[in-house]
Amino acid sequence: MVTMSQVRSWRPDTLGLVADAMVQRRRTLVALQDEMDDGAPPSTWVSESREAAVASHTTLRESLADLVAEVAQVAAALDIAVDAVTRARVELDEALAVASANGFSISTTGRVTDNRDTLTDDQEVADRRAIRDEIVDKIEQALRNAGHADTSLAAALRSAASGVDGGTSSLGQAAATGTAGGQRGVLEPPTGGSDHDLNSWWEGLTEDDQASVIREHPEWIGNTDGIPAWARDEANRELIDDYRADLTGQLAAAQDAGDKGLAQTLTEKLDGLDAVEDTLELGNRQLLVLDITGEDQLMAAIAYGDVDTADHVAVFTPGFTTTVAGDMAGYDSQMANLVEEAAAQSDKYGAGGTVAAVSWLGYEAPQWDNVLDPGSSVASRAPAEAGAGNLASFYNGLDASRDADPHLTALGHSYGSLTTGLALQEQTGVDDAILFGSPGIGTSHIDDLDVSDGHVYRLEARRDAVADVGGLGPFGIDPSYIDGMTGLSTEDGSTGGVEYRESVGHSDYLTQGSMSQHNMASIVAGVPEQTVEGDTRGFGDILSWPLPWTY
Amino acid sequence: MTPTTPAQPAASPGPAPTMEQVLTDYTAMREEMVSALAGALGERAWRESPNSPGLRRSRVGGADPAAEQVGLVTWSFEGTYAVDAWHGAARLVAEVGRRHHFTDGGITVDRPGDLEIFGVDAHGGRYTFGMATNTILTLRTGPHRWEHPPEPADQQPT
């Protein structure tokens, strides 16, 4: 990898002069076409020496074509390198400007140091760390781009030096061949990079390179957190046909081998692709995750609305028995309704802002078939733990992919609230969390969640037995008893003059017109003052009361 | 643990008109509502809400998997009518709704600084009219089939 001092010593203007000179040479050489044509032995020349003259002329013409191609390749590669190095220099200058404006210094080796005295306030420390990370990201991206420019130019020069075949056509065609050879490949995403690194990589690409990635390497970005939603969406849509063909081929092989279990799994994944396409047909959706590599299930996430620009973004994680094939359409509809309700509240109460919501089925939720399998049973934390890493990364990626963080709300239902609760124990950009119909959130202490005080909400409907099994499994105590969570009403009635329908049972929380949906929409829309609080503990909660000294 | 499945909508009575027909009727009803309010309470700068998610299509499952619900673009204006006219405004909206075969669904909210009513039609459609800081009018259809579904490309986020 090139160093910062190397890049700063590079002179793209000088490189530009060389590129200009090479372009001029290319033009001069291509302009020799007429002379070459005029110098060809005429057809009226009839003698033994004509054959030798023709051979000599052909050799000369082809050598000239090769030379034109080589010069054109070098000219094109230089031209591209000038742009790339200039961009890298600009990115470095931006990093230096941000550092200077915020009291950081950057050493010649690229080390970033905070010049401020010891900080004591946690928020200030976090803010300074964020600025430092931004500077580091810019430097790393500049060096990646500079390195890629250097490597690409070196490769083009080596190739030209070893000879380029200019073909047997015209010199103009030879120049076109050389120019094509001088184009560089797209810089690949940094392996093992953070979502900020990946976003910097993406933003560092030219528009042409971005289009090329979507067209030729959609698998690089479709499920990559930190990449803007519009690009993930386009990439994942590009992949649907390939995935369908892949799964269809695997299905045929499984059927030939008589593997009924695998055939069933693959059939369900194909059904899931159908469900994804049916949902995308409705428009105003973004396909943010599409993953066929799960052991048992297709994984997918579809946003309703524009995640790149929405002021408020909600991410909904469902639970037990959820599959893309069986549930994506229904959850998508519920998220669309939630967005509509939240946007209406945003309008009506004047807080303002657009809303988007994601149905995130980006993990393999436990199924009835796996109840007895400790590795994937609903009675274990394993599926939730496996999903929580993906989910936390997804949350962080939403922030990293945008210039301004959205107001981000995590919604977790049933077993999905466990997955959500575990994800929120990592550092995420989640501003509000709503856990409903929850058997447990993976902890008995709200301080374990990386969400500000007063911003974690729970809802429990009457006759929702699932919400009372906390403490029975390894999920933490019943969330009804976790101190610091704000209970939101699921009842009908007229609390504060508000009249909404009651939610009953385990699967009614997101029903249009219900109190619970209203409350969730208020949180999502950033108008928590419009919620109706309520403590809906029932008989089941008496049974799930945790002994205070046991957790 | 009970499976988590989305709730299903109630079945619609009788054959439903096409989505195109419903949207035409709803649009006309909305125009009438706004006209009636303007006639009684004065003109207001109603416009498509900048926060509205736009034409919202969703599949609702149930008896007809091909049926869709559509949420129309929300209309709103900044501010409200005079507070003492709020209930009159709500009555006007409900009257127009009844002319378009909506029944009064009820009052969602009625408290100082916050009024919202809704109406429903026989196919599960719903309008909402509310006032708090601003005034909103939302419309959502019940499940209907399109004669000619719009192209998804026309509705992608921009």
Side-chain angles (χ1 to χ4, degrees), chain A residues 338-525:
Chain A
L338 186 70
V339 167
E340 184 178 84
E341 171 67 17
Q345 290 195 29
S346 177
D347 267 334
K348 186 180 164 194
Y349 297 111
T354 51
V355 186
V358 182
S359 300
W360 190 84
L361 281 69
Y363 79 123
E364 296 189 272
Q367 305 291 315
W368 281 115
D369 293 349
N370 314 109
V371 164
L372 299 178
D373 177 355
S376 54
S377 169
V378 68
S380 87
R381 288 165 58 119
E385 286 171 343
N390 292 347
L391 182 56
S393 175
F394 186 79
Y395 294 144
N396 283 318
L398 291 177
D399 280 349
S401 66
R402 298 174 37 140
D403 290 336
D405 293 353
H407 166 237
L408 182 57
T409 302
L411 303 170
H413 177 231
S414 189
Y415 190 87
S417 70
L418 174 63
T419 309
T420 304
L422 292 169
L424 293 177
Q425 292 177 45
E426 299 182 31
Q427 194 168 35
T428 70
V430 169
D431 301 293
D432 286 293
I434 306 173
L435 306 160
F436 52 108
S438 175
I441 61 171
T443 178
S444 302
H445 307 282
I446 200 165
D447 289 346
D448 291 337
L449 305 186
D450 182 44
V451 182
S452 299
D453 290 350
H455 289 265
V456 182
Y457 303 88
R458 67 170 179 82
L459 294 94
E460 178 179 335
R462 187 163 56 88
R463 283 195 244 139
D464 181 356
V466 175
D468 293 325
V469 301
L472 298 180
F475 304 159
I477 63 170
D478 182 341
S480 298
Y481 294 102
I482 296 179
D483 289 337
M485 291 181 88
T486 304
L488 297 178
S489 175
T490 59
E491 300 173 310
D492 60 6
S494 57
T495 308
V498 183
E499 295 191 8
Y500 282 94
R501 211 163 53 71
E502 181 185 21
S503 302
V504 179
H506 188 56
S507 304
D508 202 21
Y509 292 94
L510 283 161
T511 299
Q512 187 85 345
S514 65
M515 174 74 84
S516 50
Q517 191 226 27
H518 161 84
N519 280 331
M520 288 192 241
S522 300
I523 300 299
V524 169

Side-chain angles (χ1 to χ4, degrees), chain B residues 2 38 53 57 69 72-74 96 103 111 114 118 133 149 151 157:
Chain B
T2 310
R57 295 170 61 194
Q69 277 188 307
L72 281 73
V73 177
T74 297
V96 175
T103 56
R111 59 185 171 186
D114 194 354
F118 69 99
T133 305
E151 288 294 322

